[in-house]
Amino acid sequence: MNQSFSTDDLSFLTENYKEITEKIAAAAVSSGRNPSDVRLMAVTKTVSPAHINHMISLGVGLIGENKVQELLGKLEFLTTEKTDIHIIGHLQSNKVRKIINTVSMIQSVDSISLIDEISRQAVNNNKTMDILLEVNIDSEDSKTGLPAESLIETAFRAADTKGIVLKGLMSIPPICEDEKTARMYFEKTRRLYEDMKSALGKRADISVLSMGMSSDFEAAILEGSNLVRVGSSLFGARRY
Ligand SMILES: *Cc1c(COP(=O)(O)O)cnc(C)c1O
């Protein structure tokens, strides 16, 4: 991994960070909330530790990685003492053990068997793990995520499982041509989030709605998102 970078790269990251945080703040205010009500996650897949560390030094308090292997490979080079790390990609049950003491939340929980394995590892390590359920908002598409129909049932199961702290919902809507369609998906997700919250009542402290990425985070915030996951608009286009 290339860890050296020029001064040009630094100012580029600084400018991106400034621009994104300003847009988040404006969208939050437009939706009747405070800028601090919306949390920014820097999505760091394919990004070098040097770039990630610079983004952290600018004030990003949360990073997200998709793959366990990639996260663990970078970890020793990261200055994450004051930074939360979340898993946001599809997680295989046999990898849970490897990250149970590294991440503070798993956002991409999409099956009962994964809930059970996170529970087992959390209990073994004497801790609890925050999770979000990932909902597949566009069931036509064959992407990951729970079907909306089984969301509430799975939420009850998660809320009643030892070692698991259910915090909310995450979704990745299909790529949309226009903002209107994107907002429709975000609105649908927010309704599911509210249904889940009221169904669970006091059984869980549902407070996180994770939706919105580089191309659509403002639309997501206008529809109620309080955690946006931004990669390429912060770090530049990914080079795989
Ligand atoms: C890559 C990724 C993002 C960020 O995507 P950008 O379009 O680069 O902002 C957000 N969420 C998930 C789950 C991702 O895999």
Side-chain angles (χ1 to χ4, degrees):
M1 215 167 284
N2 177 20
Q3 286 189 71
S4 63
F5 53 98
S6 68
T7 351
D8 284 359
D9 289 332
L10 275 173
S11 62
F12 171 71
L13 293 173
T14 308
E15 258 158 51
N16 287 350
Y17 177 69
K18 190 164 169 274
E19 188 184 323
I20 297 295
T21 49
E22 281 170 5
K23 284 183 174 169
I24 289 171
V29 169
S30 295
S31 73
R33 291 176 290 164
N34 294 317
S36 61
D37 292 343
V38 180
R39 199 167 183 203
L40 169 63
M41 164 191 283
V43 175
T44 54
K45 58 174 177 255
T46 78
V47 179
S48 77
H51 287 70
I52 299 170
N53 287 339
H54 186 68
M55 198 52 79
I56 288 171
S57 77
L58 295 172
V60 166
L62 170 62
I63 63 170
E65 278 280 351
N66 292 64
K67 295 188 178 135
V68 168
Q69 204 87 357
E70 185 177 343
L71 171 61
L72 296 179
K74 288 177 193 171
L75 199 59
E76 65 173 306
F77 304 107
L78 298 179
T79 48
T80 52
E81 292 79 17
K82 292 186 205 137
T83 312
D84 285 330
I85 306 174
H86 292 179
I87 287 284
I88 58 170
H90 181 66
L91 179 61
Q92 288 170 291
S93 290
N94 62 8
K95 302 260 173 73
V96 173
R97 188 177 46 83
K98 297 183 173 174
I99 46 91
I100 196 76
N101 290 311
T102 302
V103 306
S104 59
M105 185 186 276
I106 300 168
Q107 294 203 359
S108 41
V109 176
D110 58 0
S111 71
I112 300 278
S113 60
L114 183 56
I115 289 170
D116 288 344
E117 178 59 12
I118 296 169
S119 167
R120 189 158 38 239
Q121 295 300 337
V123 170
N124 281 348
N125 285 275
N126 245 321
K127 65 186 300 180
T128 60
M129 179 58 75
D130 288 353
I131 69 159
L132 302 183
L133 294 179
E134 180 181 347
V135 65
N136 180 353
I137 204 69
D138 176 29
S139 41
E140 304 287 293
D141 205 288
S142 63
K143 274 187 296 187
T144 54
L146 292 155
E149 302 75 48
S150 64
L151 181 69
I152 303 286
E153 193 189 334
T154 311
F156 271 95
R157 172 69 183 263
D160 290 341
T161 301
K162 227 181 154 193
I164 298 274
V165 182
L166 176 63
K167 300 298 273 184
L169 204 58
M170 185 268 250
S171 83
I172 313 169
I175 294 157
C176 298
E177 298 287 301
D178 58 299
E179 176 162 331
K180 219 173 130 202
T181 319
R183 280 190 72 158
M184 187 197 74
Y185 283 113
F186 291 136
E187 191 197 345
K188 198 170 154 194
T189 309
R190 193 201 54 220
R191 275 206 237 104
L192 284 171
Y193 170 80
E194 277 161 8
D195 289 349
M196 182 172 109
K197 191 176 164 84
S198 60
L200 288 167
K202 288 192 174 135
R203 294 167 99 115
D205 174 25
I206 302 298
S207 57
V208 181
L209 178 55
S210 169
M211 57 182 193
M213 322 203 307
S214 287
S215 60
D216 54 19
F217 66 90
E218 289 162 294
I221 293 168
L222 293 175
E223 292 296 343
S225 170
N226 58 23
L227 193 160
V228 292
R229 309 179 307 267
V230 181
S232 45
S233 289
L234 281 173
F235 294 108
R238 281 183 285 279
R239 276 165 289 168
Y240 288 96

